[in-house]
Amino acid sequence: MKLGAATARFALLVSCFLMMATPAQARFWQCVTFAREVSSVQLFGNAHTWWAQAAGTYERDHRPAVGAVMSFKSHGKMRLGHVAMVSRVVSDREVLLTHANWSRRGGVERDVRAIDVSAAGDWSEVKVWFGPIGGLGTSSYPVNGFIYPKGMSEADAIAPVTVAGNGGRDTIVAVND
C-alpha cells in the first residue's frame, strides 16, 4: 500500500514527537507541583504560603536535610515564593536542590547548588545556581527554612558528608557533625 505525501509527513511527525520526550519530560512544572511530587510534603497553594501551612502539620526548622523542602519567602520578582527539595547536604553552608521553574520556565533542575549567604549562617538567605549564567550570580533570596517530611524532624537532619579525593574516586570520610 502506497502512502500519500500528507499521510507520510504526518506519520513522520508523530514518530518524531514520540521519540522526543516522554510525558514526564514534556510536562510544564510549577515549583509547588514538582515539590509535592518529589517530596513527601503534601501542601497546596502558592509557595510563599507553604511555611505557614506547614505549622502544626510538618516539622520546620533551619537545618537542611535530604528530602526536606526549602521554603523561599516572597521577594521582588519572586512574589509567589519558591519551594525546592534538598537532594544532598554538601556542607553546613551548601546543599544541592532539585526543583522546577527556576532557570527555565516550567523546566526541572536536579542537584543544583545552593549556598547559605546569611550573616548568621542560619539559612535565612541563599544564592541558587541559575542555568542561563552557569553560576550563582549576584542575587540572593530570603528563606523561611526547611519543611521536613512526616516522620523526619530537625533532630533527624542529615549531617553534611565530608568527602576526600582518592585518585579520582570520592571516599566518604565522615557523615556526622
Side-chain angles (χ1 to χ4, degrees):
M1 178 167 108
K2 212 172 187 180
L3 295 176
T7 305
R9 281 193 301 271
F10 178 75
L12 178 62
L13 181 63
V14 169
S15 65
C16 288
F17 174 78
L18 292 174
M19 290 187 302
M20 283 175 31
T22 65
Q25 292 169 326
R27 187 168 180 180
F28 179 90
W29 289 100
Q30 293 292 337
C31 67
V32 293
T33 309
F34 185 76
R36 230 184 352 266
E37 184 81 18
V38 298
S39 75
S40 297
V41 176
Q42 297 298 300
L43 296 172
F44 294 85
N46 292 326
H48 72 92
T49 69
W50 278 35
W51 186 253
Q53 284 187 63
T57 303
Y58 294 95
E59 295 286 329
R60 306 176 308 168
D61 207 276
H62 300 282
R63 185 173 173 194
V66 172
V69 173
M70 181 187 284
S71 169
F72 291 73
K73 295 179 180 181
S74 176
H75 172 73
K77 292 181 184 177
M78 195 173 67
R79 62 183 180 79
L80 298 178
H82 185 69
V83 287
M85 187 193 72
V86 176
S87 47
R88 181 172 178 199
V89 178
V90 177
S91 72
D92 60 342
R93 304 276 303 236
E94 182 178 350
V95 297
L96 299 182
L97 298 175
T98 293
H99 62 162
N101 208 23
W102 185 266
S103 291
R104 187 176 37 113
R105 187 170 159 82
V108 171
E109 294 176 295
R110 298 187 191 286
D111 299 325
V112 296
R113 187 173 184 223
I115 60 168
D116 174 18
V117 294
S118 64
D122 62 1
W123 289 93
S124 59
E125 186 175 358
V126 298
K127 287 187 177 186
V128 179
W129 173 267
F130 188 62
I133 65 167
L136 295 173
T138 58
S139 298
S140 59
Y141 302 92
V143 171
N144 293 305
F146 299 91
I147 302 168
Y148 305 117
K150 289 194 185 272
M152 177 190 283
S153 68
E154 191 275 335
D156 297 322
I158 298 173
V161 175
T162 304
V163 178
N166 184 6
R169 298 180 310 262
D170 290 334
T171 304
I172 296 175
V173 176
V175 178
N176 297 328
D177 285 330

